[in-house]
């Protein structure tokens, strides 16, 4: 695809956006707009579902706090770590498997801990399930804290474990840069 430019980077999850930003692959000016539109998209989708479903009875999830925090943290960590490795690392540049890797990470998380936390792994999804009444608004802090913490720790782990990525950044900032610009006469 000659001249192909990505439109948004395919961010659908505020936790993933945080992780990519902390990793240095998302501009600061894009973080808040991405997160705002991700949550708006989830809320609009929830409202459409609510409208189409016609007010069916819903029993909200009542998760146990500590297990839900741990489940959301662990699988958001896994999700963001996978995204950083398959979608932002130079070693996987141009790969065609990243969608499967990311999708199966979410699938494994949903099957593993869906009955513990609801398996959101995404603050926007947490807003959507709250709008639908599938989770109480009083529980949204669990998803915000665990998902953003999981993303931040995943970004830190990625940077610590991928020396080549980190060294390239350091090298660009030091010896490869000219010490002074020379004027052309």
């Amino acid at each position: 695809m000659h001249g192909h430019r990505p439109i948004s980077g395919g961010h659908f999850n505020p936790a993933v956006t945080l992780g990519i930003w902390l990793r240095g692959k998302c501009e600061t000016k894009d973080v808040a707009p991405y997160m705002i539109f991700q949550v708006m998209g989830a809320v609009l989708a929830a409202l459409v579902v609510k409208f189409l479903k016609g007010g069916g009875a819903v029993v909200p999830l009542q998760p146990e706090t500590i297990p839900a925090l741990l489940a959301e943290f662990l699988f958001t960590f896994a999700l963001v770590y996978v995204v950083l490795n398959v979608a932002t690392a130079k070693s996987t540049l141009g790969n065609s498997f990243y969608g499967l890797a990311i999708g199966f990470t979410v699938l494994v998380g949903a099957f593993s801990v869906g009955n513990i936390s609801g398996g959101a792994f995404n603050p926007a999804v947490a807003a959507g399930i709250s709008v639908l009444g599938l989770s109480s608004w009083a529980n949204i802090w669990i998803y915000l804290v665990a998902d953003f913490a999981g993303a931040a720790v995943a970004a830190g782990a990625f940077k610590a474990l991928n020396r080549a990525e980190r060294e390239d950044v350091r090298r660009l900032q030091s010896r490869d840069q000219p010490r002074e610009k020379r004027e052309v006469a």
Side-chain angles (χ1 to χ4, degrees):
M1 289 202 269
H2 188 24
H4 175 263
R5 268 188 77 192
I7 295 170
S8 72
H11 296 221
F12 304 107
N13 181 334
V16 170
T17 298
L18 175 67
I20 293 173
W21 175 71
L22 289 171
R23 189 242 184 278
K25 291 292 185 177
C26 180
E27 292 186 46
T28 301
K29 69 176 179 58
D30 292 333
V31 174
Y34 277 17
M35 290 182 178
I36 289 165
F37 283 103
Q38 290 157 350
V39 173
M40 285 174 54
V43 168
L44 286 172
L47 292 172
V48 167
V49 167
K50 209 170 191 170
F51 173 77
L52 293 175
K53 218 168 170 312
V58 175
V59 177
L61 177 69
Q62 297 298 330
E64 294 289 327
T65 303
I66 299 301
L69 279 166
L70 187 58
E72 286 291 313
F73 173 85
L74 290 173
F75 279 96
T76 303
F77 171 91
L79 172 62
V80 174
Y81 192 71
V82 166
V83 168
L84 293 176
N85 276 286
V86 300
T88 74
K90 275 184 278 184
S91 62
T92 55
L93 189 65
N95 72 70
S96 58
F97 61 84
Y98 63 90
L100 283 174
I102 294 165
F104 276 113
T105 303
V106 174
L107 180 70
V108 168
F111 276 110
S112 300
V113 299
N115 63 337
I116 296 171
S117 69
F121 323 128
N122 179 334
V125 168
I129 63 175
S130 298
V131 166
L132 285 172
L134 296 173
S135 179
S136 165
W137 281 104
N139 293 329
I140 198 159
W141 72 271
I142 293 172
Y143 301 100
L144 298 177
V145 169
D147 296 354
F148 284 127
V153 173
F158 178 87
K159 288 166 81 171
L161 296 173
N162 290 277
R163 295 187 60 83
E165 303 278 345
R166 193 176 67 229
E167 287 171 0
D168 284 349
V169 170
R170 193 177 317 127
R171 196 172 334 121
L172 281 174
Q173 293 172 349
S174 61
R175 67 176 184 245
D176 287 351
Q177 295 296 318
R179 291 187 193 264
E180 60 187 46
K181 294 192 179 220
R182 295 181 185 156
E183 291 183 29
V184 179

